[in-house]
Amino acid sequence: MATFNPKIALKALVQMRIRKRPFVLSHGINARCNLRCPFCEYWRRPGEEMTTEAIFAMLEDASSFGIGVYNAWTAEPLLRSDLPAILRHAKSLGIATSLITNGKLLSKRAHELGDLDYLSVSVDGIETYQEIRGASIEPVLEGIRAAQEAGHQVLMNCVISKKNLRELEDLVGLAEDLGALVSFEPLHETSEVEGSVWDDMGIGDSDLPAFRRSIDRLIEMKKEGRPIINSITYLKMVRDQKPDFRCHAPEIVLHVASDGSIMSCRVHKEPLGHVSEGLAKVWASSKKRREEIVRECAGCLFFGYVENSLLYDFKPEVLAHYEWM
């Protein structure tokens, strides 16, 4: 499995900086989930799902458009029986493949994922996992081990909340014990989830001292060479709760919802068009609106948006240690 790949990084920069097109197609591949995590809005949305044939056509269009990475995520990709065929089709077109899963079904399906390059599993706690995700962590750990036995390198991704502040260091230790990588990003509060959830899980003023100590410890561990893939630049932004970067997310990532709608990003879910219109056509026609959205945005701290935007702007630390799309 792939981690840092200088050829992909170079290809990404050519596509984004010279051709002025996105490099990653991030596809909300379905509208169903087998968990009901309180902080997640995606399982709450009823929605249509693209057929296998429609996804194949989208991938062929994406290849012609210069897309280099296909990321399947949300609500839970492993619920789609055709996922291996979709990944295989993407690979046949020369597109690298990525998957974000909650891991609940991973032990049953890891052997089917031979065409997968990047595997991310959501692990938000150890003792607190049950409370945060409403399920046992054991099937997830079994899934990670099964994926590793099948030859996959695993990235554990943790969403930081009030619930797991005291377990962040332990999660790094768990990643080391498992032979996995680990990344962190803060909880992102949305209006689609009731306020009581954010009262229960969000970082309030009284939590800030413990929050900052926990992030400072992650920064120390990163400097020690522990398997944290976030950049120190990003972790400092998280600690200070300040998105101090120029966002290029709509220029880097092409977002496609489960029904084929094309959107600017995870924060601004405004439809810009549909894959059936053709990616190049929607990309060209939405240029002005995408620029307006970025200008009007207050900013976020989604890991992928920040790190890829820093790569886009040639941040030396990120260029030197870029490990994951």
Side-chain angles (χ1 to χ4, degrees), residues 10-253:
L10 178 60
K11 185 178 178 182
L13 288 171
V14 169
Q15 171 77 349
M16 296 183 299
R17 300 287 304 199
I18 298 175
R19 302 189 73 197
K20 304 295 183 183
R21 291 179 173 184
F23 188 66
V24 178
L25 194 165
S26 186
H27 184 205
I29 197 168
N30 68 16
R32 297 165 291 148
C33 194
N34 49 6
L35 293 180
R36 292 293 182 267
C37 305
F39 59 89
C40 177
E41 72 266 31
Y42 294 102
W43 61 264
R44 302 168 191 266
R45 301 178 192 160
E48 297 180 4
E49 298 175 5
M50 297 171 66
T51 64
T52 308
E53 292 73 20
I55 294 174
F56 281 6
M58 176 186 69
L59 289 170
E60 290 157 13
D61 190 11
S63 177
S64 299
F65 191 55
I67 292 292
V69 176
Y70 171 69
N71 178 46
W73 74 300
T74 194
E76 174 45 51
L78 290 176
L79 287 174
R80 284 196 68 134
S81 60
D82 59 356
L83 179 64
I86 292 168
L87 297 175
R88 184 164 56 250
H89 194 66
K91 287 288 286 185
S92 73
L93 296 166
I95 301 174
T97 54
S98 172
L99 172 67
I100 302 174
T101 173
N102 62 36
K104 190 174 180 181
L105 297 175
L106 193 53
S107 61
K108 297 178 181 178
R109 303 204 64 188
H111 67 284
E112 302 176 50
L113 304 178
D115 292 296
L116 183 64
D117 294 307
Y118 299 91
L119 174 60
S120 298
V121 182
S122 299
V123 184
D124 302 315
I126 304 172
E127 297 299 325
T128 58
Y129 184 91
Q130 177 79 44
E131 182 180 5
I132 293 170
R133 293 273 175 176
S136 170
I137 194 175
E138 289 307 318
V140 180
L141 298 181
E142 291 173 10
I144 290 173
R145 295 186 185 100
Q148 291 171 323
E149 289 173 4
H152 295 281
Q153 183 173 53
V154 175
L155 169 65
M156 291 168 32
N157 182 65
C158 170
V159 175
I160 303 169
S161 70
K162 182 191 302 184
K163 299 290 186 182
N164 60 17
L165 279 182
R166 292 177 177 81
E167 284 201 301
L168 303 187
E169 184 171 352
D170 293 337
L171 281 166
V172 178
L174 175 63
E176 288 178 317
D177 291 343
L178 291 170
L181 302 171
V182 63
S183 65
F184 297 89
E185 64 182 346
L187 189 68
H188 181 79
E189 300 184 14
T190 73
S191 59
E192 296 171 272
V193 177
E194 57 270 21
S196 60
V197 171
W198 309 131
D199 293 339
D200 186 47
M201 300 188 70
I203 304 296
D205 291 342
S206 62
D207 306 303
L208 284 176
F211 174 79
R212 288 170 180 150
R213 284 195 300 271
S214 295
I215 305 305
D216 276 334
R217 179 59 186 139
L218 292 181
I219 292 171
E220 290 175 2
M221 297 174 86
K222 172 72 176 183
K223 292 177 179 177
E224 293 167 0
R226 312 289 283 276
I228 301 168
I229 72 166
N230 306 94
S231 69
I232 293 173
T233 301
Y234 172 75
L235 291 172
K236 287 180 178 178
M237 289 187 211
V238 172
R239 179 195 63 196
D240 300 336
Q241 297 187 311
K242 184 179 180 182
D244 186 19
F245 71 105
R246 183 181 178 188
C247 181
H248 300 287
E251 308 305 308
I252 296 169
V253 183

Side-chain angles (χ1 to χ4, degrees), residues 270-286:
E270 175 185 331
L272 302 172
H274 193 274
V275 295
S276 59
E277 302 171 55
L279 301 183
K281 180 179 178 180
V282 174
W283 186 253
S285 65
S286 65

